[in-house]
Amino acid sequence: MPFKISPTIRGLLCVFGGFLIQLVVGSFHGTFGNMLPYLTSYRRQTNPELTNGDLAVILPGAGITQGFVFTLSGFFLVPLIGCRACLIFGCVSYVAGPILGYLVIDMPISLLTLCLGSLAGIGLSTVIIPVMLIPVTWFPNKKGTVLGFIAAGFGLASTVFTPLQTFIINPDNVLPVLNNGTNSTEKYFEDPEVLKRVPVYLLYISTVYAILSLIGIILCVEKPKESDSSKVKKEKKVDVIKNAFKFLWREGFTNRDFYLLWLTRYMMLVICGGILSHWKSFGLQLNPDDRQISIVGGVNGILNSVSRIITGALMDKLAYRILMPTICGILSVALVCIFWVGHAAFEGYYALIWLAYLLSFSHFASVPTQAIKLFQSQSSIILGAIGLSDSVSYFTVAILNMICFSTDTPQFMPFFVSLSVFAGLSVLITAFVREPKLLKTQEQETKKEEMKIEDETYVNTAYTSATHDKVNLHYQSNLNHETKMV
């Protein structure tokens, strides 16, 4: 640039760029629950047998893809082509998703899942590691706060895009209706104008994605390294991959915290995927007012965003094994009550779904922060390996969908109880994750023991050597005396 920007301002711009990118890639997950009834209603024009459960597979399809690509990103893409290239590739993939979705919206569900779901998963998982690692280089002492603010963009996506989605597709607040002639309790939209706007929405939103992504890519740049680049030896690409696998094998697979963080992300993503898929389906069953439900979705995003900011800031103040068990315990109670409280009073549904959003997405800030604290410079490899849990968790969500929503009468009660069980298990898992200070203290104690052993060995060796020298000196003295006598 022709003018100079202070490092602090440049760092803040970088964080804001990461926030924008997270805002974009979080929109699919954040608005899928709102989009699902529209999409199902549109497809029911040609196939009246379809239900929300049939098209809910799109979200797990994105999540399963996301997990595998997340791992590849941490192991191969980031080490080989760098963070910036991953950022650009991921954003392009994400923007291409709704464009291709527009072209295949009337084709088989598997193809629609590939375009709307899998491409979103590829884009998200490719940018998620760079968008966390790049801004942290500007503020190394505020990792939790920076990651919390950036992750807040992901959470805020539903607040920004859910009302926009409803405004474009259903501006007149047309109410859904029950499926006449069946025992189904689900409601779908049948107004021709509403259904006509569903494909067009995909083109509008892809344009918005492209503009925001471009701004984010321009701003999100890594802090220049102070070391002389001419003296830095460049590793061969094969060596980079080998070193990544060696680090994971020696430092990751032998560390219990790696498995605990992996399980935490798995458990919490099952909860997130379930809530994201069916918060609106359940809400419409309680209240058919589409505009009011979209307001609930907007507040969901605010709380999702605030949750990440607060959790990130608290991670700089509190221990992970204190913060996360508390969050998971409260979440478990909220999820087990939501079905009965929602049917008792719609205001109760408001309160508990908002509380669930406030708590369930906190791991997006806490788990990466703890991983970076524990594994330092090689954290991208660990984050990539932890990301494989996405595939397993969304596969679990797909199974829950098949069990609870494959019939005309959705089973919301066992669904929410299952999510509550996952939250309860997370309390136990997160309570045993160690802190970097504790690990450092253990390493210091180990080094002290090793030094003590070395010192004792040195003393024994020195004592033996000194004794040996004294014997030699005494022998030499006697020999000299005898020589003189002769």
Side-chain angles (χ1 to χ4, degrees):
M1 291 185 179
F3 53 90
K4 193 173 182 180
I5 303 176
S6 68
T8 302
I9 299 299
R10 189 66 192 86
L12 291 174
L13 290 174
C14 178
V15 172
F16 180 68
F19 173 87
L20 286 180
I21 293 174
Q22 284 273 42
L23 180 70
V24 171
V25 298
S27 60
F28 172 77
H29 291 74
T31 63
F32 180 79
N34 189 61
M35 184 67 181
L36 180 60
Y38 295 134
L39 197 58
T40 305
S41 300
Y42 177 83
R43 291 295 301 259
R44 282 171 63 86
Q45 293 178 105
T46 55
N47 186 359
E49 301 296 325
L50 285 177
T51 65
N52 284 328
D54 294 322
L55 271 78
V57 70
I58 295 175
L59 182 62
I64 292 170
T65 306
Q66 174 183 317
F68 285 110
V69 179
F70 204 138
T71 304
L72 292 176
S73 178
F75 275 100
F76 299 102
L77 295 180
V78 172
L80 292 180
I81 66 177
C83 289
R84 288 280 294 167
C86 283
L87 214 58
I88 295 170
F89 173 76
C91 289
V92 171
S93 300
Y94 196 87
V95 172
I99 297 175
L100 295 177
Y102 170 81
L103 299 175
V104 301
I105 193 168
D106 295 311
M107 296 184 183
I109 295 176
S110 57
L111 193 57
L112 188 61
T113 301
L114 180 64
C115 295
L116 285 182
S118 297
L119 276 177
I122 291 172
L124 167 63
S125 53
T126 307
V127 306
I128 202 73
I129 292 178
V131 89
M132 289 190 295
L133 296 181
I134 292 175
V136 164
T137 60
W138 294 91
F139 304 100
N141 297 325
K142 295 290 184 180
K143 293 183 177 69
T145 303
V146 170
L147 290 178
F149 180 81
I150 292 172
F154 195 102
L156 197 63
S158 59
T159 300
V160 174
F161 292 106
T162 297
L164 178 63
Q165 196 174 73
T166 302
F167 175 76
I168 294 175
I169 298 175
N170 190 12
D172 301 321
N173 194 29
V174 177
L175 300 181
V177 296
L178 285 172
N179 185 17
N180 295 327
T182 68
N183 295 323
S184 175
T185 57
E186 288 192 295
K187 298 178 180 179
Y188 300 101
F189 296 93
E190 295 183 355
D191 184 80
E193 293 299 318
V194 171
L195 301 179
K196 186 172 64 175
R197 298 188 193 104
V198 173
V200 179
Y201 161 78
L202 297 174
L203 294 180
Y204 285 142
I205 204 63
S206 62
T207 304
V208 176
Y209 289 164
I211 295 171
L212 293 178
S213 298
L214 181 60
I215 297 173
I217 290 171
I218 292 172
L219 295 178
C220 195
V221 180
E222 193 171 8
K223 184 179 181 181
K225 295 181 180 180
E226 297 179 358
S227 59
D228 186 4
S229 59
S230 62
K231 297 181 181 180
V232 177
K233 294 182 179 180
K234 293 184 177 180
E235 290 185 289
K236 294 181 180 179
K237 293 182 178 181
V238 177
D239 293 334
V240 171
I241 298 173
K242 285 182 179 179
N243 291 336
F245 277 103
K246 285 181 181 178
F247 181 84
L248 181 65
W249 183 261
R250 295 174 181 175
E251 303 294 333
F253 290 162
T254 59
N255 192 325
R256 82 175 189 200
D257 298 305
F258 165 76
Y259 297 101
L260 294 175
L261 292 174
W262 194 97
L263 285 172
T264 302
R265 185 174 176 92
Y266 163 72
M267 295 285 185
M268 297 297 283
L269 271 177
V270 171
I271 300 169
C272 293
I275 295 173
L276 287 169
S277 297
H278 296 288
W279 69 267
K280 185 169 183 176
S281 316
F282 182 57
L284 286 174
Q285 193 179 63
L286 302 175
N287 185 349
D289 191 328
D290 188 35
R291 186 168 295 171
Q292 191 173 3
I293 294 295
S294 70
I295 294 173
V296 175
V299 178
N300 285 347
I302 295 174
L303 294 174
N304 186 345
S305 177
V306 169
S307 168
R308 297 166 193 247
I309 296 174
I310 294 175
T311 304
L314 289 176
M315 281 295 295
D316 289 332
K317 305 291 183 183
L318 299 176
Y320 176 91
R321 57 183 179 175
I322 294 174
L323 178 62
M324 285 305 292
T326 304
I327 290 174
C328 295
I330 300 172
L331 178 61
S332 181
V333 175
L335 289 170
V336 81
C337 295
I338 193 170
F339 178 81
W340 292 280
V341 173
H343 278 284
F346 191 65
E347 292 76 11
Y349 164 76
Y350 275 172
L352 290 182
I353 199 69
W354 287 341
L355 181 60
Y357 262 82
L358 180 65
L359 300 176
S360 60
F361 294 88
S362 59
H363 74 283
F364 283 108
S366 63
V367 171
T369 302
Q370 192 71 5
I372 290 174
K373 286 181 179 179
L374 291 171
F375 297 97
Q376 301 296 324
S377 60
Q378 300 296 326
S379 56
S380 66
I381 299 168
I382 300 299
L383 288 172
I386 291 174
L388 186 60
S389 61
D390 294 21
S391 297
V392 185
S393 61
Y394 279 101
F395 182 73
T396 305
V397 173
I399 294 174
L400 283 176
N401 282 332
M402 290 174 60
I403 295 173
C404 299
F405 303 105
S406 58
T407 61
D408 288 336
T409 304
Q411 303 296 318
F412 284 105
M413 187 271 286
F415 180 74
F416 284 113
V417 170
S418 300
L419 298 184
S420 176
V421 171
F422 278 100
L425 292 174
S426 299
V427 175
L428 299 176
I429 293 170
T430 56
F432 290 98
V433 176
R434 292 174 292 183
E435 292 300 310
K437 291 182 181 179
L438 179 61
L439 289 176
K440 191 173 182 181
T441 302
Q442 291 176 348
E443 290 175 359
Q444 289 175 348
E445 291 296 327
T446 304
K447 287 183 179 179
K448 285 181 181 179
E449 291 294 330
E450 292 175 352
M451 291 178 65
K452 185 177 180 181
I453 294 172
E454 289 178 359
D455 290 343
E456 290 177 355
T457 303
Y458 175 77
V459 170
N460 292 334
T461 304
Y463 175 77
T464 303
S465 178
T467 304
H468 182 70
D469 290 343
K470 285 182 180 180
V471 171
N472 287 340
L473 183 62
H474 180 71
Y475 174 77
Q476 187 67 31
S477 176
N478 290 339
L479 183 62
N480 292 338
H481 178 72
E482 291 177 359
T483 303
K484 286 182 181 181
M485 290 292 295
V486 172

